[in-house]
Amino acid sequence: MALQALQSSGVAFRKILSHFPEELSLAFAYGSGVYRQAGPSSDQKNAMLDFVFTVDDPVAWHSKNLKKNWNHYSFLKVLGPRFITTVQNNYGAGVYYNPLIMCDGRLIKYGIISTSVLIEDLLNWNNLYIAGRLQKPVKIVAMNENVTLRSALDKNLKSAVTAAFLMLPESFSEEDLFIEIARLSYSGDFRMVVGEDKAKVLNIVKPNIAHFRELYGSILQENPQVVYKIQQGSLEIDKSPEGQFTQLMTLPKTLQQQINHIMDPPGKNRDVEETLLQVAHDPDCGDVVRLGLSAIVRPSSMRQSTKGIFTAGLKKSVMYSSLKLHKMWKGWLRKTS
């Protein structure tokens, strides 16, 4: 399975994990502190480590974590674990972040997400937030035997390939594909305008082609709609209306609904399948898919960033935003020099 490529033997990551309650269905590390990136995030040794912890019972987990790590939380901690869980599940993208935490001599940020919320996002792309993180190479530090979760993780990768195919020409390189996949969860993300380095996607992909290949290689080899020439690093796909319709019909449900909303004229109320058949014959099919992605990502990224002001607290929010803007400024200087 493609996910085996993500397994990590990193002792340092597991040591950090030991500072938190153990009841995790999944824990992974991601970002420039884990995988080398080009550009302003290239200083891997001093980069902040980003983690996501997936938990079956967020109320119980936050209750234990508040006892162990009270100072990690903002002023919301005084309202207790149930309130924190309500904020986590019902606002933004279903994840609760504690940023700028010193742990084992490293600066870390960690997010908590409910297992059920993550599975929904992986399968349907409700927010394409943590699901988007998991479309890029990450280091899985802990994972239990939840078969439904493992299946959803695999489905998310296959959906990423399908969506990318719809936005690519008939022939393209591995690098083209991986750039398109990495770009999926940034489509419409307002942070790419303010606070993130504009070349972020290229900086993620170019130094990590081998990791992307590990993640997606078996999926590409098993896909009947693609000719994958591994030695040359090139691919060919079926761009006929029939081929595109097959791909559109396997997209996650929320993306299909967004495409239907974009293409369905007022008052017509066509069903999704009818709309997707029309899109499959449209020469601008890829642009329509991209618009559908933006319609998911833009609101979820804005809500999650607004939520961060409360979950991190004002002081940490300002510090974290300053770090992001500084990185963006360094990237701009690099380009102009």
mmCIF file of all heavy atoms in Angstrom, residues 11-52:
data_model
loop_
_atom_site.group_PDB
_atom_site.id
_atom_site.type_symbol
_atom_site.label_atom_id
_atom_site.label_comp_id
_atom_site.label_asym_id
_atom_site.label_seq_id
_atom_site.Cartn_x
_atom_site.Cartn_y
_atom_site.Cartn_z
ATOM 1 N N VAL A 11 13.196 8.457 15.850
ATOM 2 C CA VAL A 11 13.176 8.426 17.313
ATOM 3 C C VAL A 11 12.826 9.802 17.865
ATOM 4 O O VAL A 11 12.072 9.922 18.839
ATOM 5 C CB VAL A 11 14.546 7.947 17.871
ATOM 6 C CG1 VAL A 11 14.578 8.055 19.385
ATOM 7 C CG2 VAL A 11 14.823 6.517 17.438
ATOM 8 N N ALA A 12 13.343 10.858 17.229
ATOM 9 C CA ALA A 12 13.087 12.229 17.712
ATOM 10 C C ALA A 12 11.599 12.548 17.691
ATOM 11 O O ALA A 12 11.070 13.174 18.623
ATOM 12 C CB ALA A 12 13.845 13.234 16.845
ATOM 13 N N PHE A 13 10.901 12.103 16.634
ATOM 14 C CA PHE A 13 9.465 12.359 16.544
ATOM 15 C C PHE A 13 8.714 11.603 17.643
ATOM 16 O O PHE A 13 7.794 12.138 18.265
ATOM 17 C CB PHE A 13 8.925 11.942 15.171
ATOM 18 C CG PHE A 13 9.474 12.747 14.026
ATOM 19 C CD1 PHE A 13 9.732 12.149 12.795
ATOM 20 C CD2 PHE A 13 9.736 14.093 14.161
ATOM 21 C CE1 PHE A 13 10.229 12.887 11.731
ATOM 22 C CE2 PHE A 13 10.238 14.846 13.112
ATOM 23 C CZ PHE A 13 10.487 14.241 11.894
ATOM 24 N N ARG A 14 9.099 10.347 17.864
ATOM 25 C CA ARG A 14 8.410 9.537 18.875
ATOM 26 C C ARG A 14 8.684 10.066 20.288
ATOM 27 O O ARG A 14 7.840 9.966 21.170
ATOM 28 C CB ARG A 14 8.809 8.067 18.752
ATOM 29 C CG ARG A 14 8.264 7.412 17.492
ATOM 30 C CD ARG A 14 8.170 5.891 17.644
ATOM 31 N NE ARG A 14 9.460 5.286 17.885
ATOM 32 C CZ ARG A 14 10.332 4.968 16.921
ATOM 33 N NH1 ARG A 14 10.051 5.216 15.659
ATOM 34 N NH2 ARG A 14 11.484 4.408 17.211
ATOM 35 N N LYS A 15 9.863 10.660 20.460
ATOM 36 C CA LYS A 15 10.204 11.254 21.759
ATOM 37 C C LYS A 15 9.288 12.443 22.045
ATOM 38 O O LYS A 15 8.795 12.617 23.158
ATOM 39 C CB LYS A 15 11.669 11.693 21.746
ATOM 40 C CG LYS A 15 12.279 11.801 23.127
ATOM 41 C CD LYS A 15 13.767 12.054 23.046
ATOM 42 C CE LYS A 15 14.315 12.375 24.433
ATOM 43 N NZ LYS A 15 15.624 12.984 24.391
ATOM 44 N N ILE A 16 9.046 13.249 21.024
ATOM 45 C CA ILE A 16 8.124 14.381 21.179
ATOM 46 C C ILE A 16 6.719 13.868 21.488
ATOM 47 O O ILE A 16 6.018 14.403 22.346
ATOM 48 C CB ILE A 16 8.136 15.264 19.910
ATOM 49 C CG1 ILE A 16 9.449 16.071 19.851
ATOM 50 C CG2 ILE A 16 6.931 16.209 19.863
ATOM 51 C CD1 ILE A 16 9.689 16.809 18.555
ATOM 52 N N LEU A 17 6.338 12.780 20.818
ATOM 53 C CA LEU A 17 5.012 12.196 21.014
ATOM 54 C C LEU A 17 4.796 11.746 22.461
ATOM 55 O O LEU A 17 3.672 11.754 22.962
ATOM 56 C CB LEU A 17 4.838 11.000 20.071
ATOM 57 C CG LEU A 17 3.484 10.855 19.369
ATOM 58 C CD1 LEU A 17 3.182 12.072 18.525
ATOM 59 C CD2 LEU A 17 3.484 9.610 18.496
ATOM 60 N N SER A 18 5.886 11.366 23.134
ATOM 61 C CA SER A 18 5.782 10.862 24.506
ATOM 62 C C SER A 18 5.325 11.932 25.501
ATOM 63 O O SER A 18 4.959 11.615 26.631
ATOM 64 C CB SER A 18 7.127 10.277 24.959
ATOM 65 O OG SER A 18 8.093 11.312 25.121
ATOM 66 N N HIS A 19 5.344 13.193 25.083
ATOM 67 C CA HIS A 19 4.907 14.292 25.955
ATOM 68 C C HIS A 19 3.395 14.479 25.924
ATOM 69 O O HIS A 19 2.871 15.358 26.608
ATOM 70 C CB HIS A 19 5.589 15.603 25.539
ATOM 71 C CG HIS A 19 7.064 15.623 25.810
ATOM 72 N ND1 HIS A 19 7.614 16.091 26.985
ATOM 73 C CD2 HIS A 19 8.109 15.202 25.050
ATOM 74 C CE1 HIS A 19 8.933 15.973 26.930
ATOM 75 N NE2 HIS A 19 9.269 15.441 25.764
ATOM 76 N N PHE A 20 2.696 13.686 25.116
ATOM 77 C CA PHE A 20 1.256 13.866 24.926
ATOM 78 C C PHE A 20 0.493 12.597 25.306
ATOM 79 O O PHE A 20 1.081 11.509 25.335
ATOM 80 C CB PHE A 20 0.980 14.239 23.467
ATOM 81 C CG PHE A 20 1.616 15.530 23.053
ATOM 82 C CD1 PHE A 20 2.873 15.545 22.448
ATOM 83 C CD2 PHE A 20 0.987 16.746 23.295
ATOM 84 C CE1 PHE A 20 3.480 16.735 22.089
ATOM 85 C CE2 PHE A 20 1.583 17.937 22.935
ATOM 86 C CZ PHE A 20 2.825 17.938 22.332
ATOM 87 N N PRO A 21 -0.814 12.723 25.579
ATOM 88 C CA PRO A 21 -1.619 11.524 25.851
ATOM 89 C C PRO A 21 -1.500 10.509 24.714
ATOM 90 O O PRO A 21 -1.400 10.883 23.546
ATOM 91 C CB PRO A 21 -3.046 12.080 25.950
ATOM 92 C CG PRO A 21 -2.875 13.509 26.348
ATOM 93 C CD PRO A 21 -1.605 13.965 25.695
ATOM 94 N N GLU A 22 -1.532 9.243 25.053
ATOM 95 C CA GLU A 22 -1.188 8.183 24.099
ATOM 96 C C GLU A 22 -2.313 7.802 23.141
ATOM 97 O O GLU A 22 -2.049 7.194 22.109
ATOM 98 C CB GLU A 22 -0.744 6.921 24.864
ATOM 99 C CG GLU A 22 0.592 7.089 25.564
ATOM 100 C CD GLU A 22 1.007 5.831 26.305
ATOM 101 O OE1 GLU A 22 0.222 4.862 26.295
ATOM 102 O OE2 GLU A 22 2.104 5.824 26.892
ATOM 103 N N GLU A 23 -3.549 8.119 23.460
ATOM 104 C CA GLU A 23 -4.687 7.593 22.704
ATOM 105 C C GLU A 23 -4.802 8.258 21.330
ATOM 106 O O GLU A 23 -5.646 9.132 21.095
ATOM 107 C CB GLU A 23 -5.991 7.783 23.492
ATOM 108 C CG GLU A 23 -6.054 6.999 24.793
ATOM 109 C CD GLU A 23 -5.316 7.661 25.948
ATOM 110 O OE1 GLU A 23 -4.757 8.754 25.750
ATOM 111 O OE2 GLU A 23 -5.290 7.089 27.045
ATOM 112 N N LEU A 24 -3.951 7.857 20.398
ATOM 113 C CA LEU A 24 -3.927 8.439 19.057
ATOM 114 C C LEU A 24 -4.227 7.359 18.019
ATOM 115 O O LEU A 24 -3.635 6.285 18.051
ATOM 116 C CB LEU A 24 -2.558 9.048 18.755
ATOM 117 C CG LEU A 24 -2.042 10.136 19.713
ATOM 118 C CD1 LEU A 24 -0.600 10.495 19.374
ATOM 119 C CD2 LEU A 24 -2.920 11.371 19.668
ATOM 120 N N SER A 25 -5.160 7.650 17.112
ATOM 121 C CA SER A 25 -5.379 6.697 16.014
ATOM 122 C C SER A 25 -4.381 6.945 14.891
ATOM 123 O O SER A 25 -4.076 6.048 14.109
ATOM 124 C CB SER A 25 -6.815 6.800 15.483
ATOM 125 O OG SER A 25 -7.122 8.118 15.073
ATOM 126 N N LEU A 26 -3.852 8.176 14.834
ATOM 127 C CA LEU A 26 -2.843 8.538 13.833
ATOM 128 C C LEU A 26 -2.079 9.757 14.322
ATOM 129 O O LEU A 26 -2.673 10.685 14.884
ATOM 130 C CB LEU A 26 -3.528 8.865 12.491
ATOM 131 C CG LEU A 26 -2.655 9.439 11.361
ATOM 132 C CD1 LEU A 26 -1.675 8.386 10.844
ATOM 133 C CD2 LEU A 26 -3.523 9.934 10.214
ATOM 134 N N ALA A 27 -0.771 9.754 14.137
ATOM 135 C CA ALA A 27 0.044 10.944 14.392
ATOM 136 C C ALA A 27 1.040 11.069 13.256
ATOM 137 O O ALA A 27 1.694 10.090 12.900
ATOM 138 C CB ALA A 27 0.772 10.830 15.731
ATOM 139 N N PHE A 28 1.112 12.253 12.665
ATOM 140 C CA PHE A 28 2.097 12.438 11.603
ATOM 141 C C PHE A 28 2.737 13.815 11.699
ATOM 142 O O PHE A 28 2.172 14.763 12.256
ATOM 143 C CB PHE A 28 1.473 12.211 10.215
ATOM 144 C CG PHE A 28 0.431 13.226 9.783
ATOM 145 C CD1 PHE A 28 0.794 14.389 9.106
ATOM 146 C CD2 PHE A 28 -0.910 12.994 10.015
ATOM 147 C CE1 PHE A 28 -0.159 15.299 8.686
ATOM 148 C CE2 PHE A 28 -1.886 13.898 9.605
ATOM 149 C CZ PHE A 28 -1.507 15.056 8.936
ATOM 150 N N ALA A 29 3.962 13.894 11.179
ATOM 151 C CA ALA A 29 4.710 15.143 11.121
ATOM 152 C C ALA A 29 4.832 15.556 9.661
ATOM 153 O O ALA A 29 4.910 14.708 8.769
ATOM 154 C CB ALA A 29 6.099 14.960 11.743
ATOM 155 N N TYR A 30 4.830 16.849 9.405
ATOM 156 C CA TYR A 30 4.864 17.321 8.019
ATOM 157 C C TYR A 30 5.573 18.682 7.950
ATOM 158 O O TYR A 30 5.913 19.270 8.977
ATOM 159 C CB TYR A 30 3.440 17.435 7.460
ATOM 160 C CG TYR A 30 2.574 18.508 8.118
ATOM 161 C CD1 TYR A 30 2.479 19.789 7.569
ATOM 162 C CD2 TYR A 30 1.871 18.247 9.283
ATOM 163 C CE1 TYR A 30 1.702 20.768 8.173
ATOM 164 C CE2 TYR A 30 1.084 19.218 9.886
ATOM 165 C CZ TYR A 30 1.007 20.478 9.325
ATOM 166 O OH TYR A 30 0.235 21.452 9.921
ATOM 167 N N GLY A 31 5.784 19.157 6.728
ATOM 168 C CA GLY A 31 6.333 20.495 6.532
ATOM 169 C C GLY A 31 7.839 20.521 6.386
ATOM 170 O O GLY A 31 8.509 19.487 6.320
ATOM 171 N N SER A 32 8.369 21.743 6.374
ATOM 172 C CA SER A 32 9.786 21.940 6.060
ATOM 173 C C SER A 32 10.720 21.437 7.155
ATOM 174 O O SER A 32 11.910 21.238 6.919
ATOM 175 C CB SER A 32 10.059 23.431 5.800
ATOM 176 O OG SER A 32 9.686 24.215 6.928
ATOM 177 N N GLY A 33 10.200 21.208 8.368
ATOM 178 C CA GLY A 33 11.025 20.638 9.432
ATOM 179 C C GLY A 33 11.211 19.143 9.289
ATOM 180 O O GLY A 33 12.046 18.544 9.963
ATOM 181 N N VAL A 34 10.423 18.520 8.397
ATOM 182 C CA VAL A 34 10.463 17.070 8.210
ATOM 183 C C VAL A 34 11.105 16.704 6.880
ATOM 184 O O VAL A 34 11.988 15.859 6.805
ATOM 185 C CB VAL A 34 9.033 16.479 8.282
ATOM 186 C CG1 VAL A 34 9.064 14.968 8.096
ATOM 187 C CG2 VAL A 34 8.363 16.851 9.603
ATOM 188 N N TYR A 35 10.636 17.352 5.809
ATOM 189 C CA TYR A 35 11.196 17.135 4.470
ATOM 190 C C TYR A 35 11.822 18.433 3.972
ATOM 191 O O TYR A 35 11.228 19.510 4.098
ATOM 192 C CB TYR A 35 10.106 16.687 3.491
ATOM 193 C CG TYR A 35 9.654 15.270 3.704
ATOM 194 C CD1 TYR A 35 8.425 14.988 4.288
ATOM 195 C CD2 TYR A 35 10.459 14.195 3.329
ATOM 196 C CE1 TYR A 35 8.010 13.679 4.490
ATOM 197 C CE2 TYR A 35 10.057 12.885 3.535
ATOM 198 C CZ TYR A 35 8.828 12.645 4.113
ATOM 199 O OH TYR A 35 8.429 11.347 4.311
ATOM 200 N N ARG A 36 13.006 18.301 3.406
ATOM 201 C CA ARG A 36 13.726 19.469 2.911
ATOM 202 C C ARG A 36 12.905 20.193 1.853
ATOM 203 O O ARG A 36 12.311 19.575 0.984
ATOM 204 C CB ARG A 36 15.069 19.043 2.302
ATOM 205 C CG ARG A 36 15.984 20.216 1.951
ATOM 206 C CD ARG A 36 17.348 19.689 1.520
ATOM 207 N NE ARG A 36 17.271 18.931 0.279
ATOM 208 C CZ ARG A 36 17.292 19.486 -0.933
ATOM 209 N NH1 ARG A 36 17.359 20.796 -1.075
ATOM 210 N NH2 ARG A 36 17.244 18.729 -2.025
ATOM 211 N N GLN A 37 12.849 21.520 1.957
ATOM 212 C CA GLN A 37 12.189 22.339 0.943
ATOM 213 C C GLN A 37 13.180 23.353 0.391
ATOM 214 O O GLN A 37 14.131 23.739 1.067
ATOM 215 C CB GLN A 37 10.973 23.078 1.534
ATOM 216 C CG GLN A 37 9.844 22.158 1.925
ATOM 217 C CD GLN A 37 8.612 22.911 2.415
ATOM 218 O OE1 GLN A 37 8.479 24.109 2.216
ATOM 219 N NE2 GLN A 37 7.697 22.184 3.056
ATOM 220 N N ALA A 38 12.946 23.758 -0.838
ATOM 221 C CA ALA A 38 13.773 24.803 -1.442
ATOM 222 C C ALA A 38 13.277 26.159 -0.937
ATOM 223 O O ALA A 38 12.251 26.265 -0.272
ATOM 224 C CB ALA A 38 13.678 24.717 -2.962
ATOM 225 N N GLY A 39 14.010 27.216 -1.275
ATOM 226 C CA GLY A 39 13.553 28.568 -0.956
ATOM 227 C C GLY A 39 13.752 28.933 0.501
ATOM 228 O O GLY A 39 14.619 28.398 1.190
ATOM 229 N N PRO A 40 12.883 29.836 1.031
ATOM 230 C CA PRO A 40 13.076 30.361 2.386
ATOM 231 C C PRO A 40 12.848 29.344 3.489
ATOM 232 O O PRO A 40 13.163 29.598 4.634
ATOM 233 C CB PRO A 40 12.038 31.495 2.478
ATOM 234 C CG PRO A 40 11.024 31.188 1.432
ATOM 235 C CD PRO A 40 11.764 30.494 0.330
ATOM 236 N N SER A 41 12.301 28.160 3.159
ATOM 237 C CA SER A 41 12.084 27.116 4.174
ATOM 238 C C SER A 41 13.208 26.081 4.170
ATOM 239 O O SER A 41 13.057 24.993 4.713
ATOM 240 C CB SER A 41 10.742 26.408 3.910
ATOM 241 O OG SER A 41 9.672 27.306 3.999
ATOM 242 N N SER A 42 14.335 26.410 3.542
ATOM 243 C CA SER A 42 15.394 25.415 3.350
ATOM 244 C C SER A 42 16.204 25.132 4.618
ATOM 245 O O SER A 42 16.939 24.157 4.674
ATOM 246 C CB SER A 42 16.340 25.865 2.225
ATOM 247 O OG SER A 42 16.862 27.144 2.509
ATOM 248 N N ASP A 43 16.070 25.973 5.654
ATOM 249 C CA ASP A 43 16.802 25.751 6.908
ATOM 250 C C ASP A 43 16.055 24.709 7.744
ATOM 251 O O ASP A 43 15.333 25.030 8.683
ATOM 252 C CB ASP A 43 16.929 27.073 7.678
ATOM 253 C CG ASP A 43 17.751 26.916 8.954
ATOM 254 O OD1 ASP A 43 18.362 25.839 9.140
ATOM 255 O OD2 ASP A 43 17.767 27.861 9.768
ATOM 256 N N GLN A 44 16.259 23.439 7.396
ATOM 257 C CA GLN A 44 15.483 22.348 7.998
ATOM 258 C C GLN A 44 15.783 22.181 9.483
ATOM 259 O O GLN A 44 14.892 21.876 10.282
ATOM 260 C CB GLN A 44 15.774 21.053 7.238
ATOM 261 C CG GLN A 44 14.833 19.922 7.592
ATOM 262 C CD GLN A 44 15.097 18.696 6.734
ATOM 263 O OE1 GLN A 44 16.075 18.634 6.000
ATOM 264 N NE2 GLN A 44 14.225 17.708 6.829
ATOM 265 N N LYS A 45 17.035 22.404 9.870
ATOM 266 C CA LYS A 45 17.449 22.136 11.249
ATOM 267 C C LYS A 45 16.710 23.030 12.246
ATOM 268 O O LYS A 45 16.365 22.607 13.342
ATOM 269 C CB LYS A 45 18.964 22.345 11.373
ATOM 270 C CG LYS A 45 19.555 21.754 12.641
ATOM 271 C CD LYS A 45 21.057 21.810 12.640
ATOM 272 C CE LYS A 45 21.536 23.236 12.861
ATOM 273 N NZ LYS A 45 22.846 23.317 13.506
ATOM 274 N N ASN A 46 16.456 24.291 11.841
ATOM 275 C CA ASN A 46 15.806 25.238 12.748
ATOM 276 C C ASN A 46 14.328 25.458 12.444
ATOM 277 O O ASN A 46 13.673 26.278 13.090
ATOM 278 C CB ASN A 46 16.537 26.589 12.697
ATOM 279 C CG ASN A 46 17.971 26.471 13.199
ATOM 280 O OD1 ASN A 46 18.218 25.865 14.228
ATOM 281 N ND2 ASN A 46 18.913 27.037 12.458
ATOM 282 N N ALA A 47 13.808 24.737 11.466
ATOM 283 C CA ALA A 47 12.399 24.924 11.093
ATOM 284 C C ALA A 47 11.483 24.353 12.171
ATOM 285 O O ALA A 47 11.827 23.391 12.865
ATOM 286 C CB ALA A 47 12.117 24.229 9.758
ATOM 287 N N MET A 48 10.313 24.979 12.306
ATOM 288 C CA MET A 48 9.317 24.466 13.247
ATOM 289 C C MET A 48 8.811 23.108 12.772
ATOM 290 O O MET A 48 8.594 22.899 11.576
ATOM 291 C CB MET A 48 8.150 25.458 13.351
ATOM 292 C CG MET A 48 7.088 25.042 14.345
ATOM 293 S SD MET A 48 5.984 26.407 14.794
ATOM 294 C CE MET A 48 5.273 26.821 13.205
ATOM 295 N N LEU A 49 8.630 22.175 13.709
ATOM 296 C CA LEU A 49 8.070 20.866 13.388
ATOM 297 C C LEU A 49 6.548 20.928 13.507
ATOM 298 O O LEU A 49 6.018 21.385 14.525
ATOM 299 C CB LEU A 49 8.604 19.804 14.350
ATOM 300 C CG LEU A 49 10.053 19.358 14.162
ATOM 301 C CD1 LEU A 49 10.464 18.430 15.306
ATOM 302 C CD2 LEU A 49 10.241 18.644 12.825
ATOM 303 N N ASP A 50 5.862 20.487 12.470
ATOM 304 C CA ASP A 50 4.398 20.490 12.453
ATOM 305 C C ASP A 50 3.873 19.066 12.651
ATOM 306 O O ASP A 50 4.314 18.138 11.959
ATOM 307 C CB ASP A 50 3.881 21.024 11.109
ATOM 308 C CG ASP A 50 4.298 22.466 10.866
ATOM 309 O OD1 ASP A 50 4.028 23.303 11.738
ATOM 310 O OD2 ASP A 50 4.889 22.752 9.811
ATOM 311 N N PHE A 51 2.924 18.905 13.563
ATOM 312 C CA PHE A 51 2.313 17.605 13.827
ATOM 313 C C PHE A 51 0.799 17.686 13.725
ATOM 314 O O PHE A 51 0.212 18.748 13.988
ATOM 315 C CB PHE A 51 2.648 17.108 15.246
ATOM 316 C CG PHE A 51 4.077 16.706 15.461
ATOM 317 C CD1 PHE A 51 5.025 17.639 15.857
ATOM 318 C CD2 PHE A 51 4.481 15.388 15.270
ATOM 319 C CE1 PHE A 51 6.355 17.277 16.060
ATOM 320 C CE2 PHE A 51 5.803 15.017 15.471
ATOM 321 C CZ PHE A 51 6.739 15.956 15.865
ATOM 322 N N VAL A 52 0.179 16.571 13.372
ATOM 323 C CA VAL A 52 -1.267 16.405 13.512
ATOM 324 C C VAL A 52 -1.518 15.119 14.284
ATOM 325 O O VAL A 52 -0.938 14.075 13.974
ATOM 326 C CB VAL A 52 -1.993 16.364 12.147
ATOM 327 C CG1 VAL A 52 -3.447 15.909 12.317
ATOM 328 C CG2 VAL A 52 -1.958 17.737 11.477
#
